[in-house]
Amino acid sequence: MELINLYLIPGVVLGCIYALGAIGLSLIYGVLRFGHFAHGDVMTFGAYVTLSAVALLGVSPLAALPISILVTALLAVIIDRLFYRPFRDSPTIVVVIASFGVALMLRSLVEIIWGADDQSYETGIRRPITLFDTLVIAPRHIAIVLAAVLLVVVLHIFLTRTRLGKAMRAVSDQPHLARICGIDLDTVSLWTWVFGAGLAAAAGLFLAIDTELNPNMGWNLLLPLFAAAILGGIGKPYGAIAGGLVIGLAEELSSFPLFSERPLVPPDYKTGVAFAIMVVMLLWRPQGLFRGRVYG
Amino acid sequence: MSLLAVEDLRAGYGDTVILHGVDIEVEAGELAVIVGPNGAGKSTLIKAIFGVVSTQGGRVRFGGDDTTGASPERLVARGMAYVPQERNVFPTLTVAENLEMGAFTTRGPLAPLLDAQYALFPELERRRRQLVGEMSGGQRQMVALARALMTKPKLLLLDEPTAGLSPKVMAQVFGYIRAINQAGIGVLMVEQNARLALQIADRGYVLAAGRNRFSGTGADLLANRQMAEAFLGG
């Protein structure tokens, strides 16, 4: 039971957070063809927007989720206009470096507006729920997983049922043919940012509910997010969901004391597990588990 | 008046000139074929007509209007459609989704357009939920053709539609192209298999080194000894 309560459940929760962040990375890579290094800081921004919404409106963090998604998506669209779109015809590395710059700016913006100290949405301790006498689960964990599933379902409906969502997959698949079909890249990229940043805002909020707010919280997650996106096959949003869950579970389960009293891998080296998985994947199957794209 | 008239067209990539003045004409409902050796500029010609390669001189008229240098979007709206040689389907989309993307710029209901393609290619209706990436070369070519037909074009431009296919599948694809043409749609295609293509063509053009070499009806070109010796291997 200790395995489930202390390792498996937190692993699934962390996996959901990684998945939501990695979906955005994957969508952006698929449509705009670059690794978005400011994605972690977009998550941070989303988490802090919720902090303000909670303070101003007196609602719970989860109730503020739609506000956070909208504000963060708007920010991402503005960032794209100002810092990424001017470089669309430049070599990829230029946009990647621009996204590094945006990452630094976003983090500073968060520190200027909200300060550099750790903060949290609510004080006090909520008692976890005990099911079947043995399964101990915190209400916030249930909420995070349910909300993540809901968001993924919304994304799925968008990608498979709407004209624009299908166009987004088409651009990601064959950009040249998409142009021949008359699909407007500007509209598709706008919605890529709305969904990518919106899901990142949710991921940031969930991370902050699970732990606390800190200006570096998103930046620190960049490595596992990329590991998740690569594991799932970069450019494939569905792969990113699986990749996120695998990385999250692997990180949490790696500190389970399997053979002795001591954890398999000391918890401080959790990120190392994600990094190891990413390196192995890049060597063994760079296209990812689900045949993602490898661009030369 | 011709559906498509290309006069003295010059085109290329950057400073490299590939077409040094080419003239071709396609009448409405006609099946025209461009053949010639590798590097003759056949694909460049099709791409220049469709606006994906920039023109450096000359004129393209389509449906009576000057469309020299027009964007693909504008040409599609005027009734032209283009199937590239490679990467001409969306492999991670289903058959139905591929066709839907073909009609992306078309307003109005999708169902009649889809039904028209399914009537022409019944196999696609059975496979409409299948991912195109899982299909064979011939089936993909069917999807590529159907996708281009979703905009109800007057003229279909095909760049080597049988490249890389086995002789059996090649014959099938030629069959589809004839069927499309018999439905009244003009076709201008570039083909490596000159003999087979000229057999079904109303009109043929032989290009070499970016210039016109021979032109005439398909049958005339096949009967032309000089042309046969130079370009059909005797």
Side-chain angles (χ1 to χ4, degrees):
Chain A
M1 261 1 252
E2 190 197 6
L3 173 71
I4 293 176
N5 290 335
L6 298 180
Y7 298 93
L8 203 60
I9 291 171
V12 170
V13 170
L14 190 63
C16 286
I17 292 167
Y18 287 169
L20 292 176
I23 290 169
L25 273 185
S26 227
L27 282 176
I28 293 162
Y29 193 91
V31 171
L32 298 149
R33 299 293 194 268
F34 76 98
H36 186 223
F37 279 85
H39 212 65
D41 295 278
V42 172
M43 280 175 63
T44 310
F45 184 84
Y48 276 91
V49 169
T50 306
L51 184 68
S52 288
V54 168
L56 292 173
L57 305 172
V59 293
S60 77
L62 273 178
L65 178 60
I67 297 169
S68 174
I69 288 177
L70 285 178
V71 174
T72 311
L74 183 69
L75 174 90
V77 169
I78 293 169
I79 287 173
D80 179 49
R81 284 283 153 91
L82 291 178
F83 302 111
Y84 301 149
R85 197 184 283 192
F87 302 118
R88 193 178 279 167
D89 298 323
S90 311
T92 311
I93 188 68
V94 176
V95 202
V96 172
I97 299 295
S99 78
F100 261 113
V102 168
L104 297 173
M105 288 194 288
L106 269 181
R107 204 179 332 164
S108 302
L109 186 71
V110 166
E111 286 177 356
I112 290 168
I113 301 176
W114 290 285
D117 297 331
D118 291 355
Q119 300 182 61
S120 61
Y121 294 134
E122 301 166 288
T123 47
I125 297 167
R126 289 254 209 104
R127 192 178 289 274
I129 302 166
T130 306
L131 297 169
F132 313 118
D133 293 335
T134 47
L135 195 63
V136 183
I137 184 161
R140 64 172 200 277
H141 284 166
I142 299 173
I144 288 171
V145 173
L146 288 180
V149 169
L150 180 74
L151 288 169
V152 166
V153 168
V154 169
L155 177 78
H156 175 72
I157 290 169
F158 172 73
L159 287 176
T160 56
R161 297 274 184 276
T162 69
R163 203 173 79 108
L164 210 52
K166 291 174 199 173
M168 194 183 280
R169 284 161 56 219
V171 170
S172 178
D173 221 6
Q174 294 290 6
H176 182 68
L177 186 61
R179 206 190 141 221
I180 290 170
C181 293
I183 295 171
D184 178 31
L185 183 64
D186 288 345
T187 314
V188 169
S189 76
L190 178 93
W191 284 94
T192 306
W193 285 111
V194 168
F195 271 87
L199 295 176
L205 194 167
F206 297 159
L207 182 69
I209 290 177
D210 197 31
T211 56
E212 57 190 0
L213 291 119
N214 173 288
N216 287 318
M217 58 189 276
W219 176 257
N220 292 340
L221 244 56
L222 204 56
L223 183 68
L225 290 188
F226 269 104
I230 289 169
L231 183 65
I234 192 140
K236 308 235 151 178
Y238 296 101
I241 299 166
L245 285 171
V246 170
I247 299 283
L249 280 168
E251 284 194 4
E252 292 296 332
L253 291 175
S254 67
S255 45
F256 182 66
L258 185 62
F259 300 117
S260 60
E261 295 294 297
R262 297 178 42 207
L264 273 180
V265 176
D268 289 348
Y269 295 103
K270 264 191 210 172
T271 314
V273 175
F275 190 62
I277 293 174
M278 185 170 84
V279 169
V280 169
M281 276 310 284
L282 284 173
L283 290 172
W284 172 59
R285 260 185 88 90
Q287 71 274 45
L289 288 176
F290 303 97
R291 288 192 294 168
R293 290 202 144 190
V294 186
Y295 295 100
Chain B
M1 186 179 42
S2 307
L3 177 60
L4 177 77
V6 174
E7 295 158 22
D8 194 30
L9 190 69
R10 293 154 196 277
Y13 303 87
D15 291 337
T16 321
V17 182
I18 298 191
L19 298 180
H20 302 274
V22 172
D23 301 278
I24 63 165
E25 271 182 52
V26 182
E27 301 290 335
E30 206 173 40
L31 200 166
V33 171
I34 306 166
V35 298
N38 282 331
K42 305 184 296 288
S43 292
T44 308
L45 173 58
I46 290 254
K47 288 176 185 164
I49 293 170
F50 195 66
V52 282
V53 166
S54 51
T55 52
Q56 294 160 342
R59 257 175 182 304
V60 179
R61 286 173 162 280
F62 179 59
D65 302 316
D66 190 336
T67 59
T68 318
S71 67
E73 293 81 9
R74 263 189 60 201
L75 292 165
V76 168
R78 279 164 184 269
M80 206 187 275
Y82 165 63
V83 179
Q85 182 187 346
E86 289 174 321
R87 301 180 179 187
N88 52 21
V89 290
F90 299 109
T92 69
L93 270 59
T94 65
V95 169
E97 286 171 342
N98 264 269
L99 300 192
E100 193 182 333
M101 289 300 107
F104 190 80
T105 53
T106 330
R107 308 206 174 273
L110 213 58
L113 290 169
L114 284 170
D115 289 344
Q117 310 323 317
Y118 292 150
L120 198 57
F121 304 108
E123 190 177 352
L124 293 186
E125 182 163 29
R126 289 195 296 276
R127 295 177 179 274
R128 64 185 184 278
R129 291 176 200 283
Q130 192 177 351
L131 293 182
V132 175
E134 298 168 349
M135 295 167 72
S136 73
Q139 290 162 347
R140 281 175 189 232
Q141 224 46 9
M142 220 190 289
V143 174
L145 292 170
R147 191 230 90 222
L149 293 175
M150 287 293 282
T151 50
K152 290 192 188 166
K154 297 189 196 84
L155 179 68
L156 185 59
L157 306 176
L158 305 175
D159 193 353
E160 301 206 16
T162 65
L165 299 177
S166 71
K168 192 178 153 229
V169 179
M170 204 181 281
Q172 278 172 12
V173 171
F174 276 132
Y176 306 147
I177 294 167
R178 283 184 86 160
I180 290 167
N181 182 238
Q182 275 156 13
I185 298 164
V187 176
L188 174 63
M189 75 168 163
V190 164
E191 245 317 311
Q192 282 284 357
N193 303 286
R195 215 176 265 283
L196 272 174
L198 289 172
Q199 277 168 17
I200 63 166
D202 297 314
R203 189 196 286 256
Y205 292 93
V206 182
L207 244 58
R211 291 190 170 83
N212 288 79
R213 285 295 293 275
F214 295 98
S215 58
T217 64
D220 282 351
L221 288 173
L222 285 168
N224 182 329
R225 179 166 299 177
Q226 211 186 346
M227 137 88 195
E229 276 171 12
F231 298 108
L232 300 175

